[in-house]
Amino acid sequence: NILNERKEKGSQSSDLDGEENIGIWFLNLLSNHFIGPFTSLSLISTKVSKLAAAADGRAEQRRSERISMASLLLNPNFSILVGTPNQKLRAAAFRPGIVRCCAGQSRPVYHPSHIPDPNYVRIFDTTLRDGEQSPGATMTSKEKLDIARQLSRLGVDIIEAGFPIASKDDFEAVRTIALEVGNAVTDDGYVPVICGLARCNRPDIEASWDAVRHALRPRVHVFIATSDIHLKYKLKKTREEVVDIARNMVAFARSLGCEDVEFSPEDAGRSDREFLYLVLGEVIKAGATTLNIPDTVGYNLPNEFGKLISDIKTNTPAIENVIISTHCQNDLGLATANTLAGAYAGARQLEVTINGIGERAGNASLEEVVMTLRCRGKEQLGGLYTGINTKHITMASKMDGMLKHKGTYEIMSPEDIGLSRSDESGIVLGKLSGRHALRSKLIQLGIELDGKELDDVFWRFKTVAEKKKHLSDEDIEALVSDEIFQPQTIWSLENVQVTCGTLGLSTGTVKLVGPDGARHIACAVGTGPVDAAYKAIDSIVQVPVTLLEYGLNSVTEGIDAIAHTRVVIRGENSHTATHALTGETIHRTFSGSGAEMDVVVSSVRAYVNALNKMLGFKSASSKKTLNSSQEIVGKGPL
């Protein structure tokens, strides 16, 4: 446009000189703005215009700097990515080149509403949002941040970090993930999109945007129900009202500065098709970049869900301008099958959770979906692939019968998901193994620890190794989980002693170290040794809770196996949150786990860890509430 204006004004310099000069200056201008924030692309346009004004007088000076703009811009190894107005640009995110996936294929350059490679499938992980709705799956902010970092290592394209309006804790967790994980650009330019969920109302959308906007690639995910049963009994609104709300709220999200907006018609699997096409078409006009099609109650069969995706592609106006996504619940055990059927029909974003956790029966499993695409994507699914680094998936399948060739029964190897095969005896470490051997084994299992964390696990390992002759991979993983992946320590277990049997009542004596460092001892009588120990703990901590679940499992076979215990508790004055789908106030539950060769000690560790999680959660909430109150007072008119 600038060159055409100059031609009309009768510029004396040649067209070629003008193109080259402006091209050089434009590239220099871009390079000067690769690092640091800029608020508008108009800045570039303004500066280019100013430079063009002086082009005639500098034509001769710039002849020696001629470059072919066409050949440069057509070079497949050269790419310029432009961030949204609210994003901070980082040099690493815009280096020439491509991001390599685990299978050797490239991860396409990210654009909210378009994927350059039609075979690439984005993985949208909602473990931190939908997964947290599993009973006892309440996570602290630190735990959520740790999980988000691991999801980034996996290479997921989008992390749904939470439901910010649910509570102050959820808002802060999402905001922290956006600031830390959402700005951690890898050397090859990869950084995950950080997404926040919101209902179709202004307060939800504002909270979601405020939480995620600090990420390099923020996204707001809005939803509203579209099935007749939901409209009648849940929303109590007409179809016209729902269309109007959906359109306006997507437009509102875009007006805040969010250029990546996902829309979900809740219960799409049971919605009227023509109405669904209408709603989707309207939100596309309003600026939605991804359309997520949820089977909210896990009702559809794979052929039905695949046809739903296909019909949406065929009948929705302007569908070619957005990404189609799937979100399948597992109520009938078909979440993974439906998700894959959706991908085969044209969906290019798949919403999953780690281990398939989630409300009711759960969601589609990330592990199952990703490994199916890896194993069968090329031959049966049209060449579909993901950007997941499967070597960070540390759950190996146990199979018998691999006698002569591993391919006889094994469709994927442990190496594919970050594990190595044990030797013939399956014995790896014993009591004579040193710190270096343990660290090497942990790396082999996909666990990287250093410093104090490694020291803590090593001394715990040595204690168990004195009692158990050989420790398997499962034993090591259980010890790491019990020692490292635990909440903030408020109460710590020092000693526990119980007596039990058929000759009298069971008694338990427990010594705990409190938050002030003081030691507390209590003794109680119970129906069994675990009950007695738990009652002794309750008398020390003096926080009334209800034990909702108790489970004890053997990590491996044998009389000397490590026992793994998991408990779920709820406080009588427990922390509450808002349910994302129903809007109801729910009481949070807290889980804890413990691992030890003694089943009673394992049980006590689990109970103390659950209490620590609950108390730590309450403590963090109280501090945030106090700080908020102080800010309000400080800003008041007085």
Side-chain angles (χ1 to χ4, degrees), residues 123-141:
I123 296 298
F124 177 113
D125 185 274
T126 183
T127 301
L128 296 174
R129 202 279 301 169
D130 197 318
E132 198 186 18
Q133 294 179 18
S134 297
T138 298
M139 291 173 272
T140 64
S141 295

Side-chain angles (χ1 to χ4, degrees), residues 28-44:
N28 289 339
L29 183 64
L30 283 178
S31 66
N32 290 335
H33 288 83
F34 269 172
I35 300 177
F38 67 85
T39 57
S40 175
L41 291 180
S42 63
L43 173 65
I44 292 179

Side-chain angles (χ1 to χ4, degrees), residues 24 48 54 62 77 93 143 163 181 201 267 378 386 432 438 512 546 562 628:
I24 294 169
V48 170
R62 292 290 185 178
N77 290 324
E143 290 172 324
F163 183 39
V181 180
N201 63 64
D267 204 19
K378 184 176 182 179
T386 73
L432 298 180
L438 175 62
L512 300 179
T546 301
I562 290 178
S628 299

Side-chain angles (χ1 to χ4, degrees), residues 38-101:
F38 67 85
T39 57
S40 175
L41 291 180
S42 63
L43 173 65
I44 292 179
S45 177
T46 301
K47 290 194 175 183
V48 170
S49 298
K50 291 179 179 179
L51 290 170
D56 294 333
R58 301 178 63 178
E60 190 64 32
Q61 175 185 351
R62 292 290 185 178
R63 286 184 186 277
S64 62
E65 299 176 346
R66 290 183 177 183
I67 60 172
S68 173
M69 286 296 294
S71 62
L72 176 64
L73 295 176
L74 291 175
N75 186 337
N77 290 324
F78 181 85
S79 62
I80 298 177
L81 304 182
V82 180
T84 63
N86 291 285
Q87 292 174 342
K88 294 180 180 179
L89 302 183
R90 291 191 176 188
F94 304 97
R95 291 173 184 165
I98 54 179
V99 180
R100 289 290 175 185
C101 303

Side-chain angles (χ1 to χ4, degrees), residues 161-164 169-179 194-196 211-212:
F163 183 39
D169 307 285
D170 289 275
F171 178 89
E172 288 299 328
V174 175
R175 183 174 179 274
T176 300
I177 291 170
L179 284 167
I194 305 299
C195 176
V212 303

Side-chain angles (χ1 to χ4, degrees), residues 7 13 47 199 221 319 323 338 384 402 439 451 458-459 482 489 549 559 595 598 605 617 632:
K7 288 178 183 178
S13 62
K47 290 194 175 183
R199 293 165 297 190
H221 179 189
I319 193 67
I323 305 298
N338 284 342
L384 299 184
M402 293 183 287
R439 186 173 185 277
F458 177 71
W459 291 114
D482 189 44
T489 300
E549 294 181 25
I559 194 64
D598 188 304
R605 285 183 179 276
F617 201 87
I632 293 172

Side-chain angles (χ1 to χ4, degrees), residues 128-196:
L128 296 174
R129 202 279 301 169
D130 197 318
E132 198 186 18
Q133 294 179 18
S134 297
T138 298
M139 291 173 272
T140 64
S141 295
K142 179 183 181 301
E143 290 172 324
K144 289 182 179 181
L145 182 59
D146 288 341
I147 292 173
R149 286 169 175 157
Q150 182 58 35
L151 292 173
S152 180
R153 293 188 192 103
L154 273 173
V156 301
D157 299 275
I158 303 99
I159 299 174
E160 188 168 50
F163 183 39
I165 198 68
S167 69
K168 293 181 180 179
D169 307 285
D170 289 275
F171 178 89
E172 288 299 328
V174 175
R175 183 174 179 274
T176 300
I177 291 170
L179 284 167
E180 298 197 25
V181 180
N183 285 274
V185 184
T186 61
D187 290 339
D188 55 13
Y190 160 77
V191 62
V193 174
I194 305 299
C195 176

Side-chain angles (χ1 to χ4, degrees), residues 177-233:
I177 291 170
L179 284 167
E180 298 197 25
V181 180
N183 285 274
V185 184
T186 61
D187 290 339
D188 55 13
Y190 160 77
V191 62
V193 174
I194 305 299
C195 176
L197 183 69
R199 293 165 297 190
C200 273
N201 63 64
R202 286 175 177 259
D204 275 37
I205 295 171
E206 287 173 341
S208 182
W209 174 241
D210 285 343
V212 303
R213 65 187 177 88
H214 304 285
L216 287 175
R217 293 174 178 167
R219 175 186 292 191
V220 172
H221 179 189
V222 300
F223 72 94
I224 192 170
T226 54
S227 67
D228 288 338
I229 190 171
H230 277 250
L231 266 62
K232 181 177 180 180
Y233 295 105

